[in-house]
Amino acid sequence: MIKKCLFPAAGFGTRFLPATKAVPKEMMPILTKPLLQYAVEEALDAGMSNMAIVTGKRKRAIEDHFDRALELEAQIQGTQKEVLLKEINVVCNKATFTYVRQKQILGLGHAILTGEPLIGNEPFAVHLADDLCTSENDNVLTQMIQVYNKYQCSIVAIEQVPIDQTHKYGVIAGNLVDNTNDTYRVTDMIEKPAPKDAPTNMAIIGRYILTPDIFNILKQTKPGKGGEIQITDALLTQAKQGRVIAYKFKGKRFDCGSIQGYVEATNYFAKQQGII
């Protein structure tokens, strides 16, 4: 059973300045709920209870959010507003939260490596809160755990993107396995390739199931694209050994790291709740 989910949350969120000057980008709300709360709820629904969060400076609001606010609860006790804290209190009671700071912003691979003391020697999930996903049935992490249980290796979630957008993603090439139309054994991975260099238009999105040997691989991985330690480069080492599966998840993704995607997500959830 995969019980731990790692949330890299140390970035500056510069695309949302000035809002993220003092507010962590992971705490930006879609309606009344922060992105990171959506992420933690997805992990909980997938059967994980240990939430390992890699933070940085100016991120104390994350720890405060996933803690009881007794003074606030006392203030609204017995009022109609009391129910508004029910969801987050359920999350706080069900999950255990551990934290470590990423002292330098050196890429997603480095952020994941920073989380090693919180994970230990066991397979784990990685969830990027920027990628908010919805699905009609099982959520994305639940789907990926089912794939992991079958193949027992690292799993990356993918979706097809316009070819002119490949420079924003890690891109995979692979071969379909077991007569499926959504599961590939990865043969190549490239971080943010120009369209002319992209092997396909199948892009990795912010969900991973990783085997613990990834930590030793990351320690040996040299800085790549942008001078950062890229998880894509580390996963390529596993892929060359046939140990990475790419899964085309069922659901809809909103890129809430971009203003356009953030607005689209807000409108979608507002319509779902009958607000607009």
Side-chain angles (χ1 to χ4, degrees):
M1 295 287 290
I2 295 176
K3 289 296 183 182
K4 295 182 179 180
C5 188
L6 183 70
F7 301 88
F12 291 121
T14 52
R15 283 183 286 182
F16 280 87
L17 287 171
T20 49
K21 181 174 182 288
V23 177
K25 67 173 183 175
E26 297 79 13
M27 297 304 295
M28 296 282 287
I30 301 297
L31 302 185
T32 60
K33 189 187 301 185
L35 285 167
L36 190 55
Q37 185 176 333
Y38 284 99
V40 169
E41 289 175 353
E42 181 179 328
L44 274 172
D45 289 343
M48 301 173 216
S49 58
N50 191 319
M51 311 301 165
I53 303 179
V54 180
T55 66
K57 293 180 180 179
R58 306 174 298 105
K59 300 281 184 168
R60 290 300 297 272
I62 293 174
E63 295 182 41
D64 290 342
H65 184 73
F66 293 106
D67 195 3
R68 296 292 295 272
L70 299 180
E71 183 178 351
L72 175 59
E73 291 175 27
Q75 182 70 29
I76 65 176
Q77 187 174 10
T79 73
Q80 292 181 341
K81 294 181 180 180
E82 190 172 11
V83 69
L84 300 178
L85 286 180
K86 183 177 179 180
E87 269 191 340
I88 184 57
N89 282 344
V90 168
V91 169
C92 293
N93 290 333
K94 284 185 175 181
T96 299
F97 294 86
T98 55
Y99 301 89
V100 65
R101 279 198 173 190
Q102 185 183 15
K103 297 177 182 178
Q104 293 178 282
I105 309 300
L106 297 176
L108 177 57
H110 182 265
I112 292 171
L113 181 57
T114 300
E116 181 182 15
L118 306 181
I119 300 298
N121 188 33
E122 59 185 278
F124 63 102
V126 176
H127 189 304
L128 305 188
D130 282 357
D131 279 339
L132 178 57
C133 297
T134 65
S135 54
E136 292 185 2
N137 297 305
D138 292 335
N139 69 39
V140 177
L141 282 179
T142 299
Q143 295 172 44
M144 294 177 68
I145 288 174
Q146 293 167 357
V147 177
Y148 172 81
N149 289 339
K150 182 175 182 178
Y151 295 100
Q152 297 290 306
C153 65
S154 291
I155 313 295
V156 297
I158 58 170
E159 71 174 3
Q160 290 181 299
V161 300
I163 194 67
D164 63 355
Q165 299 296 307
T166 57
H167 64 285
K168 299 179 179 179
Y169 301 91
V171 176
I172 70 104
N175 301 313
L176 286 168
V177 295
D178 297 335
N179 297 314
T180 66
N181 60 5
D182 57 14
T183 309
Y184 300 79
R185 192 168 296 279
V186 176
T187 57
D188 195 13
M189 310 176 80
I190 303 175
E191 180 65 19
K192 296 182 175 64
K196 64 181 179 64
D197 300 321
T200 69
N201 68 333
M202 294 187 292
I204 302 169
I205 65 110
R207 303 289 188 280
Y208 305 78
I209 304 290
L210 302 177
T211 53
D213 59 302
I214 197 69
F215 292 124
N216 284 333
I217 296 172
L218 281 166
K219 290 172 186 175
Q220 304 300 320
T221 300
K222 296 180 180 179
K225 192 83 172 183
E228 298 180 332
I229 297 174
Q230 302 290 349
I231 187 62
T232 306
D233 295 337
L235 282 167
L236 180 58
T237 299
Q238 290 184 333
K240 289 178 177 178
Q241 301 168 359
R243 296 193 295 116
V244 179
I245 293 290
Y247 170 68
K248 191 182 296 183
F249 69 95
K250 298 174 180 64
K252 181 176 180 60
R253 177 183 72 101
F254 297 96
D255 177 12
C256 293
S258 70
I259 294 175
Q260 179 180 346
Y262 182 82
V263 172
E264 289 174 354
T266 300
N267 289 337
Y268 175 87
F269 281 88
K271 289 178 181 177
Q272 292 292 105
Q273 296 187 24
I275 297 172
I276 60 174

